[in-house]
Amino acid sequence: MMNYKPMAVTLLCTSLLLFGCEKAEKNNSSTTEDKKIESAAQEKQTTSTKKENTKTTNRFESTIEDKDGRKYVVKISPIKEEKKVEEEGYGSVAKGDTVYSGDYHLILLLNDKEKQKITLKDLTINKDNPLFKVIEGKRDLLLIGQSEGLNINYGYVYMLEDGKLVQLKNADENTDTFSFSQTAFREVQPYFYQTAFYDNSQAKWTFSMYQLNESKHTLSSSSKETYEFEEGTAYYELHFIDTNE
């Protein structure tokens, strides 16, 4: 009988070891599955966040009123864009500025409902110095500017009509663009708007007055004055700086 006791103990120990190994394997398997589930959940959450961020990104957002005082929201959102931190300055872009470029949607909303979507091709947006502005007045206008050179920008102007954004034409030059410095575009009196343009090559300022023709969707120059640097700068700082802030 004594010969079988060691065998019994051996079998018992072996059984316990096997049971222990099986339990450990189950624990390891469970831990691995938990990690996989947790990893999958994190990945799903990250993906969801990326989609949400992409969907809700707006490079510009403001309010604009129609002639009856109804308030609309205008947004500029990317369709596809590239991001770049500038290593050298140019035009209205300074060294270190973050610049986006690509195609965008200009979106008009009323009471959180989309009323219009316009595609803007090859737009450049300086995050640190955006050239977008709602020009408040008797008739609010939306200015979408682009940098062209040192202190020289050009832009597109829109007005609201029948719940839609309508692009205005430059009647004098038969184009759809207007030249100005920074966002120097302001209402002087109902239906009259003034721009400031600095010519760096001649060190002179030109101030142009435009009259809005609502029915023709045009802005026509009614007067133009040119000043030397010091006098023009003083006029610009007095009449445009505060309205640009």
mmCIF file of all heavy atoms in Angstrom, residues 128-163:
data_model
loop_
_atom_site.group_PDB
_atom_site.id
_atom_site.type_symbol
_atom_site.label_atom_id
_atom_site.label_comp_id
_atom_site.label_asym_id
_atom_site.label_seq_id
_atom_site.Cartn_x
_atom_site.Cartn_y
_atom_site.Cartn_z
ATOM 1 N N ASP A 128 -4.354 83.232 -38.630
ATOM 2 C CA ASP A 128 -3.919 84.279 -37.713
ATOM 3 C C ASP A 128 -4.331 85.675 -38.168
ATOM 4 O O ASP A 128 -4.256 86.628 -37.396
ATOM 5 C CB ASP A 128 -2.391 84.218 -37.543
ATOM 6 C CG ASP A 128 -1.944 82.870 -36.998
ATOM 7 O OD1 ASP A 128 -2.070 82.661 -35.792
ATOM 8 O OD2 ASP A 128 -1.483 82.025 -37.794
ATOM 9 N N ASN A 129 -4.754 85.805 -39.420
ATOM 10 C CA ASN A 129 -5.189 87.103 -39.941
ATOM 11 C C ASN A 129 -6.210 86.886 -41.055
ATOM 12 O O ASN A 129 -5.956 87.197 -42.219
ATOM 13 C CB ASN A 129 -3.990 87.899 -40.460
ATOM 14 C CG ASN A 129 -4.361 89.296 -40.923
ATOM 15 O OD1 ASN A 129 -5.371 89.868 -40.506
ATOM 16 N ND2 ASN A 129 -3.556 89.852 -41.819
ATOM 17 N N PRO A 130 -7.385 86.341 -40.697
ATOM 18 C CA PRO A 130 -8.383 86.032 -41.731
ATOM 19 C C PRO A 130 -8.944 87.288 -42.376
ATOM 20 O O PRO A 130 -9.195 88.289 -41.692
ATOM 21 C CB PRO A 130 -9.470 85.278 -40.950
ATOM 22 C CG PRO A 130 -9.313 85.750 -39.540
ATOM 23 C CD PRO A 130 -7.847 86.004 -39.349
ATOM 24 N N LEU A 131 -9.114 87.247 -43.680
ATOM 25 C CA LEU A 131 -9.611 88.412 -44.426
ATOM 26 C C LEU A 131 -11.099 88.264 -44.730
ATOM 27 O O LEU A 131 -11.548 88.484 -45.852
ATOM 28 C CB LEU A 131 -8.790 88.579 -45.714
ATOM 29 C CG LEU A 131 -7.290 88.779 -45.510
ATOM 30 C CD1 LEU A 131 -6.571 88.825 -46.857
ATOM 31 C CD2 LEU A 131 -7.001 90.036 -44.712
ATOM 32 N N PHE A 132 -11.854 87.887 -43.711
ATOM 33 C CA PHE A 132 -13.298 87.749 -43.834
ATOM 34 C C PHE A 132 -13.964 88.771 -42.915
ATOM 35 O O PHE A 132 -13.474 89.049 -41.815
ATOM 36 C CB PHE A 132 -13.770 86.349 -43.434
ATOM 37 C CG PHE A 132 -13.107 85.235 -44.204
ATOM 38 C CD1 PHE A 132 -12.722 84.079 -43.565
ATOM 39 C CD2 PHE A 132 -12.862 85.354 -45.560
ATOM 40 C CE1 PHE A 132 -12.108 83.052 -44.267
ATOM 41 C CE2 PHE A 132 -12.246 84.341 -46.276
ATOM 42 C CZ PHE A 132 -11.875 83.182 -45.618
ATOM 43 N N LYS A 133 -15.081 89.310 -43.364
ATOM 44 C CA LYS A 133 -15.716 90.353 -42.566
ATOM 45 C C LYS A 133 -17.158 90.573 -43.014
ATOM 46 O O LYS A 133 -17.457 90.564 -44.209
ATOM 47 C CB LYS A 133 -14.919 91.654 -42.719
ATOM 48 C CG LYS A 133 -15.486 92.856 -41.988
ATOM 49 C CD LYS A 133 -14.634 94.076 -42.302
ATOM 50 C CE LYS A 133 -15.188 95.326 -41.662
ATOM 51 N NZ LYS A 133 -14.398 96.529 -42.009
ATOM 52 N N VAL A 134 -18.061 90.766 -42.043
ATOM 53 C CA VAL A 134 -19.414 91.223 -42.338
ATOM 54 C C VAL A 134 -19.418 92.737 -42.156
ATOM 55 O O VAL A 134 -19.122 93.255 -41.074
ATOM 56 C CB VAL A 134 -20.456 90.574 -41.411
ATOM 57 C CG1 VAL A 134 -21.824 91.229 -41.614
ATOM 58 C CG2 VAL A 134 -20.559 89.076 -41.686
ATOM 59 N N ILE A 135 -19.703 93.445 -43.228
ATOM 60 C CA ILE A 135 -19.730 94.911 -43.205
ATOM 61 C C ILE A 135 -21.140 95.332 -42.813
ATOM 62 O O ILE A 135 -22.081 95.226 -43.604
ATOM 63 C CB ILE A 135 -19.358 95.483 -44.587
ATOM 64 C CG1 ILE A 135 -18.010 94.925 -45.035
ATOM 65 C CG2 ILE A 135 -19.327 97.000 -44.552
ATOM 66 C CD1 ILE A 135 -17.781 94.990 -46.512
ATOM 67 N N GLU A 136 -21.288 95.787 -41.585
ATOM 68 C CA GLU A 136 -22.609 96.132 -41.078
ATOM 69 C C GLU A 136 -23.051 97.501 -41.589
ATOM 70 O O GLU A 136 -22.238 98.419 -41.700
ATOM 71 C CB GLU A 136 -22.599 96.123 -39.547
ATOM 72 C CG GLU A 136 -22.290 94.747 -38.955
ATOM 73 C CD GLU A 136 -22.283 94.766 -37.447
ATOM 74 O OE1 GLU A 136 -22.392 95.861 -36.859
ATOM 75 O OE2 GLU A 136 -22.161 93.675 -36.853
ATOM 76 N N GLY A 137 -24.338 97.616 -41.894
ATOM 77 C CA GLY A 137 -24.865 98.884 -42.379
ATOM 78 C C GLY A 137 -26.337 98.773 -42.719
ATOM 79 O O GLY A 137 -27.029 97.840 -42.287
ATOM 80 N N LYS A 138 -26.814 99.744 -43.481
ATOM 81 C CA LYS A 138 -28.202 99.700 -43.959
ATOM 82 C C LYS A 138 -28.441 98.402 -44.708
ATOM 83 O O LYS A 138 -29.476 97.757 -44.566
ATOM 84 C CB LYS A 138 -28.465 100.911 -44.876
ATOM 85 C CG LYS A 138 -29.856 100.964 -45.489
ATOM 86 C CD LYS A 138 -30.908 101.277 -44.463
ATOM 87 C CE LYS A 138 -32.275 101.475 -45.124
ATOM 88 N NZ LYS A 138 -33.329 101.756 -44.123
ATOM 89 N N ARG A 139 -27.451 98.009 -45.509
ATOM 90 C CA ARG A 139 -27.433 96.706 -46.142
ATOM 91 C C ARG A 139 -26.118 96.032 -45.777
ATOM 92 O O ARG A 139 -25.051 96.478 -46.197
ATOM 93 C CB ARG A 139 -27.552 96.817 -47.679
ATOM 94 C CG ARG A 139 -28.912 97.250 -48.180
ATOM 95 C CD ARG A 139 -30.049 96.348 -47.684
ATOM 96 N NE ARG A 139 -29.828 94.933 -47.895
ATOM 97 C CZ ARG A 139 -30.223 94.254 -48.979
ATOM 98 N NH1 ARG A 139 -30.820 94.885 -49.953
ATOM 99 N NH2 ARG A 139 -30.007 92.972 -49.060
ATOM 100 N N ASP A 140 -26.207 94.994 -44.960
ATOM 101 C CA ASP A 140 -25.001 94.241 -44.588
ATOM 102 C C ASP A 140 -24.391 93.584 -45.821
ATOM 103 O O ASP A 140 -25.116 93.069 -46.688
ATOM 104 C CB ASP A 140 -25.339 93.147 -43.572
ATOM 105 C CG ASP A 140 -25.551 93.706 -42.172
ATOM 106 O OD1 ASP A 140 -25.501 94.930 -42.010
ATOM 107 O OD2 ASP A 140 -25.770 92.895 -41.248
ATOM 108 N N LEU A 141 -23.068 93.610 -45.887
ATOM 109 C CA LEU A 141 -22.347 92.939 -46.956
ATOM 110 C C LEU A 141 -21.357 91.949 -46.348
ATOM 111 O O LEU A 141 -20.858 92.163 -45.246
ATOM 112 C CB LEU A 141 -21.590 93.947 -47.834
ATOM 113 C CG LEU A 141 -22.402 95.053 -48.502
ATOM 114 C CD1 LEU A 141 -21.476 95.939 -49.345
ATOM 115 C CD2 LEU A 141 -23.522 94.479 -49.363
ATOM 116 N N LEU A 142 -21.072 90.887 -47.068
ATOM 117 C CA LEU A 142 -20.081 89.905 -46.640
ATOM 118 C C LEU A 142 -18.849 90.019 -47.523
ATOM 119 O O LEU A 142 -18.940 89.923 -48.745
ATOM 120 C CB LEU A 142 -20.652 88.486 -46.743
ATOM 121 C CG LEU A 142 -19.663 87.324 -46.510
ATOM 122 C CD1 LEU A 142 -19.102 87.367 -45.098
ATOM 123 C CD2 LEU A 142 -20.326 85.985 -46.793
ATOM 124 N N LEU A 143 -17.696 90.240 -46.886
ATOM 125 C CA LEU A 143 -16.436 90.373 -47.606
ATOM 126 C C LEU A 143 -15.601 89.116 -47.413
ATOM 127 O O LEU A 143 -15.347 88.691 -46.289
ATOM 128 C CB LEU A 143 -15.661 91.591 -47.086
ATOM 129 C CG LEU A 143 -14.272 91.834 -47.681
ATOM 130 C CD1 LEU A 143 -14.378 92.227 -49.148
ATOM 131 C CD2 LEU A 143 -13.541 92.929 -46.894
ATOM 132 N N ILE A 144 -15.167 88.512 -48.512
ATOM 133 C CA ILE A 144 -14.278 87.348 -48.480
ATOM 134 C C ILE A 144 -13.000 87.731 -49.201
ATOM 135 O O ILE A 144 -12.975 87.869 -50.427
ATOM 136 C CB ILE A 144 -14.935 86.130 -49.148
ATOM 137 C CG1 ILE A 144 -16.212 85.755 -48.393
ATOM 138 C CG2 ILE A 144 -13.965 84.941 -49.179
ATOM 139 C CD1 ILE A 144 -16.965 84.596 -49.002
ATOM 140 N N GLY A 145 -11.932 87.962 -48.442
ATOM 141 C CA GLY A 145 -10.703 88.491 -49.007
ATOM 142 C C GLY A 145 -9.617 87.463 -49.222
ATOM 143 O O GLY A 145 -9.604 86.394 -48.607
ATOM 144 N N GLN A 146 -8.698 87.820 -50.117
ATOM 145 C CA GLN A 146 -7.535 86.998 -50.428
ATOM 146 C C GLN A 146 -6.301 87.890 -50.471
ATOM 147 O O GLN A 146 -6.367 89.035 -50.918
ATOM 148 C CB GLN A 146 -7.692 86.303 -51.788
ATOM 149 C CG GLN A 146 -8.806 85.282 -51.824
ATOM 150 C CD GLN A 146 -8.407 84.014 -51.089
ATOM 151 O OE1 GLN A 146 -7.783 83.116 -51.620
ATOM 152 N NE2 GLN A 146 -8.771 83.945 -49.826
ATOM 153 N N SER A 147 -5.158 87.357 -50.007
ATOM 154 C CA SER A 147 -3.925 88.145 -50.005
ATOM 155 C C SER A 147 -3.266 88.092 -51.374
ATOM 156 O O SER A 147 -3.143 87.038 -51.985
ATOM 157 C CB SER A 147 -2.955 87.611 -48.947
ATOM 158 O OG SER A 147 -1.755 88.346 -48.964
ATOM 159 N N GLU A 148 -2.832 89.265 -51.847
ATOM 160 C CA GLU A 148 -2.191 89.336 -53.157
ATOM 161 C C GLU A 148 -0.741 89.792 -53.058
ATOM 162 O O GLU A 148 0.105 89.380 -53.830
ATOM 163 C CB GLU A 148 -2.973 90.294 -54.057
ATOM 164 C CG GLU A 148 -2.501 90.315 -55.500
ATOM 165 C CD GLU A 148 -3.407 91.169 -56.369
ATOM 166 O OE1 GLU A 148 -3.393 92.401 -56.189
ATOM 167 O OE2 GLU A 148 -4.136 90.612 -57.206
ATOM 168 N N GLY A 149 -0.454 90.639 -52.100
ATOM 169 C CA GLY A 149 0.907 91.146 -51.943
ATOM 170 C C GLY A 149 1.002 91.985 -50.689
ATOM 171 O O GLY A 149 0.084 92.000 -49.872
ATOM 172 N N LEU A 150 2.093 92.681 -50.505
ATOM 173 C CA LEU A 150 2.305 93.496 -49.315
ATOM 174 C C LEU A 150 1.224 94.575 -49.213
ATOM 175 O O LEU A 150 1.147 95.475 -50.045
ATOM 176 C CB LEU A 150 3.692 94.133 -49.358
ATOM 177 C CG LEU A 150 4.103 94.936 -48.120
ATOM 178 C CD1 LEU A 150 4.121 94.043 -46.898
ATOM 179 C CD2 LEU A 150 5.466 95.582 -48.342
ATOM 180 N N ASN A 151 0.385 94.447 -48.182
ATOM 181 C CA ASN A 151 -0.721 95.396 -47.933
ATOM 182 C C ASN A 151 -1.752 95.419 -49.052
ATOM 183 O O ASN A 151 -2.579 96.329 -49.114
ATOM 184 C CB ASN A 151 -0.182 96.820 -47.710
ATOM 185 C CG ASN A 151 0.632 96.938 -46.449
ATOM 186 O OD1 ASN A 151 0.283 96.362 -45.437
ATOM 187 N ND2 ASN A 151 1.740 97.648 -46.521
ATOM 188 N N ILE A 152 -1.683 94.481 -49.959
ATOM 189 C CA ILE A 152 -2.620 94.467 -51.082
ATOM 190 C C ILE A 152 -3.444 93.179 -51.044
ATOM 191 O O ILE A 152 -2.901 92.080 -51.045
ATOM 192 C CB ILE A 152 -1.881 94.546 -52.432
ATOM 193 C CG1 ILE A 152 -1.036 95.818 -52.506
ATOM 194 C CG2 ILE A 152 -2.880 94.521 -53.590
ATOM 195 C CD1 ILE A 152 -0.153 95.891 -53.728
ATOM 196 N N ASN A 153 -4.744 93.353 -50.994
ATOM 197 C CA ASN A 153 -5.649 92.206 -51.008
ATOM 198 C C ASN A 153 -6.752 92.458 -52.026
ATOM 199 O O ASN A 153 -7.005 93.589 -52.431
ATOM 200 C CB ASN A 153 -6.273 91.991 -49.626
ATOM 201 C CG ASN A 153 -5.229 91.812 -48.544
ATOM 202 O OD1 ASN A 153 -4.311 91.010 -48.687
ATOM 203 N ND2 ASN A 153 -5.348 92.570 -47.464
ATOM 204 N N TYR A 154 -7.387 91.386 -52.423
ATOM 205 C CA TYR A 154 -8.576 91.510 -53.255
ATOM 206 C C TYR A 154 -9.640 90.606 -52.646
ATOM 207 O O TYR A 154 -9.339 89.720 -51.843
ATOM 208 C CB TYR A 154 -8.300 91.101 -54.708
ATOM 209 C CG TYR A 154 -8.046 89.614 -54.891
ATOM 210 C CD1 TYR A 154 -9.081 88.749 -55.220
ATOM 211 C CD2 TYR A 154 -6.766 89.086 -54.734
ATOM 212 C CE1 TYR A 154 -8.851 87.396 -55.383
ATOM 213 C CE2 TYR A 154 -6.537 87.735 -54.899
ATOM 214 C CZ TYR A 154 -7.576 86.887 -55.220
ATOM 215 O OH TYR A 154 -7.347 85.551 -55.365
ATOM 216 N N GLY A 155 -10.884 90.857 -52.993
ATOM 217 C CA GLY A 155 -11.923 90.037 -52.384
ATOM 218 C C GLY A 155 -13.233 90.067 -53.142
ATOM 219 O O GLY A 155 -13.420 90.834 -54.086
ATOM 220 N N TYR A 156 -14.126 89.193 -52.674
ATOM 221 C CA TYR A 156 -15.468 89.059 -53.239
ATOM 222 C C TYR A 156 -16.467 89.610 -52.228
ATOM 223 O O TYR A 156 -16.291 89.469 -51.015
ATOM 224 C CB TYR A 156 -15.777 87.602 -53.549
ATOM 225 C CG TYR A 156 -14.665 86.899 -54.304
ATOM 226 C CD1 TYR A 156 -13.782 86.035 -53.652
ATOM 227 C CD2 TYR A 156 -14.490 87.114 -55.665
ATOM 228 C CE1 TYR A 156 -12.756 85.398 -54.340
ATOM 229 C CE2 TYR A 156 -13.460 86.476 -56.357
ATOM 230 C CZ TYR A 156 -12.599 85.626 -55.687
ATOM 231 O OH TYR A 156 -11.582 85.015 -56.368
ATOM 232 N N VAL A 157 -17.524 90.237 -52.729
ATOM 233 C CA VAL A 157 -18.520 90.845 -51.856
ATOM 234 C C VAL A 157 -19.899 90.254 -52.158
ATOM 235 O O VAL A 157 -20.290 90.135 -53.324
ATOM 236 C CB VAL A 157 -18.553 92.377 -52.040
ATOM 237 C CG1 VAL A 157 -19.574 93.006 -51.094
ATOM 238 C CG2 VAL A 157 -17.169 92.978 -51.778
ATOM 239 N N TYR A 158 -20.611 89.900 -51.083
ATOM 240 C CA TYR A 158 -21.955 89.311 -51.219
ATOM 241 C C TYR A 158 -22.962 90.134 -50.425
ATOM 242 O O TYR A 158 -22.632 90.751 -49.408
ATOM 243 C CB TYR A 158 -21.978 87.881 -50.682
ATOM 244 C CG TYR A 158 -21.176 86.873 -51.482
ATOM 245 C CD1 TYR A 158 -19.814 86.743 -51.280
ATOM 246 C CD2 TYR A 158 -21.786 86.056 -52.430
ATOM 247 C CE1 TYR A 158 -19.064 85.826 -52.008
ATOM 248 C CE2 TYR A 158 -21.052 85.124 -53.155
ATOM 249 C CZ TYR A 158 -19.691 85.014 -52.944
ATOM 250 O OH TYR A 158 -18.957 84.099 -53.660
ATOM 251 N N MET A 159 -24.211 90.126 -50.900
ATOM 252 C CA MET A 159 -25.324 90.720 -50.175
ATOM 253 C C MET A 159 -26.460 89.707 -50.105
ATOM 254 O O MET A 159 -26.491 88.724 -50.868
ATOM 255 C CB MET A 159 -25.819 92.000 -50.867
ATOM 256 C CG MET A 159 -26.368 91.792 -52.260
ATOM 257 S SD MET A 159 -27.107 93.288 -52.988
ATOM 258 C CE MET A 159 -28.722 93.274 -52.208
ATOM 259 N N LEU A 160 -27.365 89.911 -49.157
ATOM 260 C CA LEU A 160 -28.526 89.028 -49.014
ATOM 261 C C LEU A 160 -29.709 89.567 -49.809
ATOM 262 O O LEU A 160 -30.031 90.754 -49.737
ATOM 263 C CB LEU A 160 -28.924 88.916 -47.546
ATOM 264 C CG LEU A 160 -28.205 87.870 -46.695
ATOM 265 C CD1 LEU A 160 -28.553 88.048 -45.226
ATOM 266 C CD2 LEU A 160 -28.555 86.461 -47.150
ATOM 267 N N GLU A 161 -30.323 88.687 -50.567
ATOM 268 C CA GLU A 161 -31.532 89.052 -51.301
ATOM 269 C C GLU A 161 -32.452 87.839 -51.371
ATOM 270 O O GLU A 161 -32.055 86.765 -51.845
ATOM 271 C CB GLU A 161 -31.183 89.528 -52.712
ATOM 272 C CG GLU A 161 -32.404 89.987 -53.501
ATOM 273 C CD GLU A 161 -32.033 90.513 -54.879
ATOM 274 O OE1 GLU A 161 -31.836 89.694 -55.786
ATOM 275 O OE2 GLU A 161 -31.938 91.743 -55.025
ATOM 276 N N ASP A 162 -33.684 88.008 -50.865
ATOM 277 C CA ASP A 162 -34.667 86.928 -50.867
ATOM 278 C C ASP A 162 -34.118 85.647 -50.237
ATOM 279 O O ASP A 162 -34.337 84.543 -50.750
ATOM 280 C CB ASP A 162 -35.154 86.645 -52.296
ATOM 281 C CG ASP A 162 -35.825 87.852 -52.930
ATOM 282 O OD1 ASP A 162 -36.458 88.633 -52.187
ATOM 283 O OD2 ASP A 162 -35.696 88.042 -54.155
ATOM 284 N N GLY A 163 -33.402 85.805 -49.138
ATOM 285 C CA GLY A 163 -32.910 84.642 -48.404
ATOM 286 C C GLY A 163 -31.741 83.934 -49.039
ATOM 287 O O GLY A 163 -31.422 82.795 -48.654
#
